Amino acid sequence: MEDKRKVPAHVAIIMDGNGRWAKKRGLPRTMGHAQGARVVEQILEDADHMGIRYLTVYAFSTENWSRPGSEVTALMNLLRTYMKTSLAKCARNNVRIRVIGDKTRLDEDLQQAIADLERDTASNTGIQFQIAINYGARDEMMRAIRSLAADAAAGRTDPSALTEEDLSARLDTAGIPDPDLLIRTCGEQRISNFLLWQIAYSELYFTDCAWPDFSKAELEKAVDAYNHRERRYGGLVN
Ligand code: IPE
Ligand code: IPE
Ligand code: MG
């Protein structure tokens, strides 16, 4: 009998290499980001068709503010456009969108667009799409820890009784299962402060393909590689 391919329920992607992709073509880096944004929309559809239930993408890290102002502005404008135009598409495709990261540092109108989109897609039952903006895993964990500590200081919780689930429930990803597969594009093999708590047992997949060249075929390759992994979670092979 043919062995059926397992589809990971949650795929997370560190979309890297927009700048290098553009440079190779003699284009400004922002053109790489623009092409990268188009690829995100296509991959979201492809992931949905493949049966992936959760897709989480790293769009802007807490460290990316250190880039030149013009590049930060271009990235924020792309995100703004995306937030303001994707509602109709989400409604059509039953996509639920959430933004993870510290939104309070984003411009007011972007925060508003995100809040509107999150609210208007909240009851969609199709693929759940998380976009990480001003996201850093250490920042996310610190915000969660501060909130738990405040509860403890106010006598609302007993610190000695805190569980892993309590911390998970205060993270931006509360209620979302941990990623099964983490993909990073464009050759770098590091995590760059993405989902540190949540990827404890994720399978990692690195490809040389730059994000603007990523495609359904590349996603299928990653899922195929995932199928050849044996997840043991510290136990023994059965
Ligand atoms: C990924 O591409 C997008 C963001 C980090 C916002 P990069 O902009 O990091 O592209 P490279 O790594 O410089 O090629
Ligand atoms: C990680 O890529 C962040 C995003 C993809 C948004 P970077 O390009 O910022 O990471 P480093 O600097 O290579 O670690
Ligand atoms: Mg990069």
Side-chain angles (χ1 to χ4, degrees):
M1 197 178 86
E2 198 191 317
D3 203 0
K4 209 173 167 305
R5 189 164 75 169
K6 289 191 302 290
V7 177
H10 184 175
V11 176
I13 308 182
I14 301 173
M15 309 181 291
D16 199 16
N18 293 350
R20 279 164 283 175
W21 180 91
K23 190 171 178 211
K24 225 169 95 182
R25 287 161 179 76
L27 299 169
R29 291 178 58 85
T30 50
M31 296 285 280
H33 295 314
Q35 178 58 24
R38 285 189 280 271
V39 170
V40 180
E41 298 215 31
Q42 185 56 51
I43 289 299
L44 174 62
E45 263 187 66
D46 296 336
D48 194 13
H49 292 152
M50 286 166 67
I52 292 166
R53 302 293 305 143
Y54 300 83
L55 179 71
T56 301
V57 299
Y58 205 3
F60 192 91
S61 75
T62 47
E63 289 73 30
N64 287 148
W65 296 106
S66 66
R67 295 189 178 196
S70 56
E71 180 164 344
V72 170
T73 302
L75 282 164
M76 287 299 154
N77 284 338
L78 277 170
L79 289 165
R80 184 175 274 110
T81 305
Y82 181 80
M83 296 301 159
K84 292 182 178 171
T85 59
S86 60
L87 184 58
K89 213 167 180 187
C90 288
R92 199 161 58 241
N93 297 332
N94 199 19
V95 176
R96 176 174 185 183
I97 296 197
R98 271 174 284 192
V99 169
I100 60 170
D102 182 358
K103 297 168 204 167
T104 60
R105 193 171 165 185
L106 307 177
D107 287 350
E108 281 289 340
D109 73 309
L110 182 53
Q111 288 189 44
Q112 192 54 54
I114 291 169
D116 292 347
L117 194 55
E118 287 183 332
R119 187 197 54 236
D120 292 344
T121 64
S123 56
N124 287 355
T125 54
I127 190 167
Q128 303 205 16
F129 182 42
Q130 291 67 237
I131 310 175
I133 306 178
N134 189 26
Y135 177 89
R138 288 185 171 185
D139 175 71
E140 177 191 39
M141 284 192 268
M142 286 312 302
R143 286 185 283 111
I145 290 164
R146 278 187 219 109
S147 125
L148 290 171
D151 278 0
R156 287 190 292 268
T157 53
D158 169 8
S160 67
L162 284 176
T163 62
E164 292 185 1
E165 288 70 30
D166 292 328
L167 181 58
S168 293
R170 301 286 170 109
L171 297 175
D172 299 339
T173 52
I176 297 166
D178 289 342
D180 299 290
L181 173 64
L182 173 69
I183 298 171
R184 182 170 185 145
T185 61
C186 212
E188 245 60 75
Q189 303 197 357
R190 55 176 170 259
I191 303 299
S192 301
N193 203 12
F194 194 40
L195 302 175
L196 296 178
W197 173 270
Q198 299 88 337
I199 60 168
Y201 269 103
S202 303
E203 294 296 331
L204 309 182
Y205 177 85
F206 300 100
T207 169
D208 286 336
C209 178
W211 178 252
D213 285 330
F214 203 78
S215 59
K216 187 173 190 193
E218 293 290 336
L219 182 59
E220 280 173 341
K221 260 198 257 175
V223 169
D224 282 343
Y226 170 82
N227 272 264
H228 289 98
R229 306 284 177 88
E230 187 184 277
R231 302 184 81 184
R232 284 196 287 270
Y233 301 100
L236 299 178
V237 191
N238 45 37

